[in-house]
Amino acid sequence: MIELEGVPELVDPVMVAAFEGWNDAGDAASTAVTHLDREWKGEVFAALDAEDYYDFQVNRPTVFMEAGVRKITWPTTRLSVVRVGGEKPRDLVLVRGIEPSMRWRSFCNELLGFAHELGVELVVILGALLGDTPHTRPVPISGTTSDPDLARRMDLEETKYEGPTGIVGVLQEACTHAGVPAVSLWAAVPHYVSQPPNPKATLALLNRLEDLIDVRIPLGELPEDARAWQVGVDQLAAEDSEVAEYVQSLEEARDTAELPEASGEAIAREFERYLRRHDGGGPPGPGGHATADGSDSTSYLRDNPSGRTRPPKPPKPGTDDDESSDD
């Protein structure tokens, strides 16, 4: 561990973490943490030693020029703090990095050491996976935890996932064993358009995080970027009748499966978010990815040298494959 500055005194801190790689389809999760850091002007106070956790042949360092001097940036995980004001001030500890190549248990223990020292009350880990979800519908966000009491109090699912996992799942279990409340929020990214960025999925993660920790998150240009992204994917899909037909079948399956979800509770949640945002004026200005079954997947709208890949048929409404997530 390399401490860049002294550990700050924090108010009701929540740790929010995201890692590039297998847990980050469309870069949706890592972009969400980057957005928080940029909008709230985060101050980096520590970084993990890259030598301990990364294979530099997998995640290579980069060279850049600064004032005529060549410097190297090493792949690592950095911690920063942001101060959230308002009626109920709360500080966030942001963890941004790349899924480590090795020593995952030591990696998690080091992050938990920071959480303990800073008095972190809750750890929220953001992730994104590839799923059979249409880009034209709201992004499904699943919130999971291993703590039954936390699941009841925060309206989350108690995770039942079994299968391959990434650093998100390992860190969540490490938190559970250490007695630190931990939650994972997963965005489902359409597998046929998995290349980053995906501002619509990033926006959905931030909206769910806002509800979870009861803070108002400035969204900046994200809503406009999300609309532009959807228009762009609409145009790409319209150019291929097979893809357009596949998207339509996903829409039908999704709409049929989610008819019961148009509940008073869901409507109330959206209305509360609307009121928060309009109270007091507008806000201030390598490799595959996880899927619902733990396997890897690729994008169907990307050019394929061996020819276009036929998208698989969507699951039948009512099956568990749609909404399950890696933890």
Side-chain angles (χ1 to χ4, degrees), residues 108-302:
C108 292
N109 287 337
E110 196 160 350
L111 291 180
L112 283 170
F114 275 110
H116 177 73
E117 187 173 356
L118 296 169
V120 166
E121 300 177 349
L122 175 69
V123 175
V124 182
I125 315 165
L126 306 182
L129 51 80
L130 301 178
D132 294 315
T133 182
H135 72 278
T136 53
R137 297 294 185 265
V139 176
I141 301 291
S142 58
T144 64
T145 180
S146 299
D147 185 334
D149 293 332
L150 196 63
R152 285 191 295 270
R153 285 192 287 110
M154 306 190 81
D155 190 25
L156 302 166
E157 300 174 24
E158 188 178 351
T159 180
K160 302 295 184 184
Y161 173 80
E162 296 179 293
T165 191
I167 194 62
V168 170
V170 173
L171 179 56
Q172 180 169 345
E173 289 308 302
C175 289
T176 300
H177 290 301
V180 179
V183 173
S184 295
L185 299 181
W186 286 93
V189 172
H191 66 85
Y192 57 88
V193 57
S194 61
Q195 62 268 36
N198 190 318
K200 187 173 181 178
T202 295
L203 179 61
L205 279 170
L206 290 175
N207 282 335
R208 185 67 179 90
L209 177 65
E210 185 178 67
D211 293 339
L212 185 72
I213 63 176
D214 194 24
V215 297
R216 182 182 174 190
I217 297 175
L219 297 178
E221 298 179 355
L222 260 180
E224 182 179 343
D225 291 342
R227 286 190 291 269
W229 176 86
Q230 181 164 325
V231 169
V233 179
D234 284 342
Q235 293 173 348
L236 287 173
E239 294 172 1
D240 188 307
S241 59
E242 187 174 333
V243 173
E245 182 182 348
Y246 175 63
V247 171
Q248 183 179 1
S249 67
L250 286 177
E251 291 172 341
E252 293 171 354
R254 172 78 179 273
D255 293 345
T256 301
E258 292 197 347
L259 279 176
E261 296 300 320
S263 63
E265 182 180 346
I267 294 171
R269 188 163 52 242
E270 289 300 316
F271 185 60
E272 287 171 2
R273 183 181 297 126
Y274 172 83
L275 291 178
R276 273 201 307 270
R277 296 211 166 278
H278 290 77
D279 183 18
H289 294 291
T291 63
D293 62 0
S295 61
D296 289 341
S297 185
T298 55
S299 168
Y300 288 102
L301 286 187
R302 286 178 174 167

Side-chain angles (χ1 to χ4, degrees), residues 21-84:
W22 194 69
N23 309 271
D24 193 25
D27 290 355
S30 58
T31 302
V33 174
T34 299
H35 176 88
L36 295 174
D37 187 79
R38 182 177 61 249
E39 291 293 324
W40 275 318
K41 298 178 173 57
E43 301 173 6
V44 176
F45 66 87
L48 305 190
D49 192 338
E51 291 279 351
D52 292 338
Y53 304 114
Y54 294 99
D55 179 346
F56 298 140
Q57 291 183 328
V58 176
N59 298 291
R60 293 185 178 273
T62 57
V63 178
F64 67 99
M65 300 292 293
E66 184 176 280
V69 179
R70 288 170 62 85
K71 295 187 176 182
I72 294 179
T73 298
W74 296 93
T76 188
T77 294
R78 293 179 172 83
L79 289 85
S80 60
V81 62
V82 298
R83 310 285 184 171
V84 183

